[in-house]
Amino acid sequence: METFQANVQYNDWKGTAAADNADQNDIRKLLNERGMISDDEFLIGIDLWLGEMHGQELAGPGAYALIIDAKDYREAERKLNEAHDPLSFKRVRLDLSMEEFLLLFKRFAVSLSWKGFDLTGHEYVAIDVP
């Protein structure tokens, strides 16, 4: 059983991520073109994992799409509201380079803070230095 939350071995850095869907070549279109999702299924989540890089070379990401049996957003929402843990999803691996993965989004942001200093949701003033 897994938990839907970013997690690595030591969790030295933790935070949040956000992304805007690409206008034309988004992840749903890719899944559809590859026959990985049907019209009666809905993409509900994405897991991305990079590991054991040791500062040398970037290996391909471990990217997975989590799919629920639902024909649209409303049906997926209803099913999730009625469900109890553990939730059950179909999971498919996306064999993509990091660049290919990021190009599925219009914008992609990750914010991390050092363990013990959860900055999530805090406002701050940044003083840019040259």
Side-chain angles (χ1 to χ4, degrees), residues 17-20 48 98 101-102 105-110:
D20 287 337
L48 172 68
M98 193 62 198
F101 178 83
L102 291 173
F105 303 94
K106 187 186 296 187
R107 286 173 284 278
F108 198 93
V110 176

Side-chain angles (χ1 to χ4, degrees), residues 98-117:
M98 193 62 198
E99 183 177 10
E100 289 169 324
F101 178 83
L102 291 173
L103 287 172
L104 296 171
F105 303 94
K106 187 186 296 187
R107 286 173 284 278
F108 198 93
V110 176
S111 296
L112 302 169
S113 52
W114 187 252
K115 61 183 169 185
F117 299 103

Side-chain angles (χ1 to χ4, degrees), residues 37-107:
I37 194 168
S38 74
D39 291 338
D40 294 327
E41 295 176 316
F42 191 82
L43 176 63
I44 199 81
I46 302 166
D47 264 333
L48 172 68
W49 194 86
L50 300 164
E52 304 303 326
M53 293 171 280
H54 303 291
Q56 300 296 320
E57 189 175 310
L58 183 61
Y64 298 89
L66 303 175
I67 299 166
I68 190 170
D69 282 332
K71 65 178 186 269
D72 58 24
Y73 178 91
R74 282 203 170 140
E75 185 178 353
E77 181 181 41
R78 181 185 56 76
K79 285 187 171 192
L80 284 176
N81 286 336
E82 294 172 356
H84 301 285
D85 285 352
L87 302 172
S88 180
F89 303 122
K90 176 173 112 176
R91 180 172 71 178
V92 296
R93 181 178 171 85
L94 303 170
D95 291 318
L96 302 167
S97 69
M98 193 62 198
E99 183 177 10
E100 289 169 324
F101 178 83
L102 291 173
L103 287 172
L104 296 171
F105 303 94
K106 187 186 296 187
R107 286 173 284 278

Side-chain angles (χ1 to χ4, degrees), residues 8-50:
V8 291
Q9 186 173 0
Y10 300 113
N11 286 327
D12 292 325
W13 295 92
K14 295 216 37 152
T16 62
D20 287 337
N21 212 36
D23 289 330
Q24 295 178 351
N25 293 317
D26 71 357
I27 193 162
R28 287 180 187 90
K29 182 178 178 185
L30 175 86
L31 290 167
N32 196 303
E33 288 173 350
R34 292 186 177 184
M36 299 171 137
I37 194 168
S38 74
D39 291 338
D40 294 327
E41 295 176 316
F42 191 82
L43 176 63
I44 199 81
I46 302 166
D47 264 333
L48 172 68
W49 194 86
L50 300 164

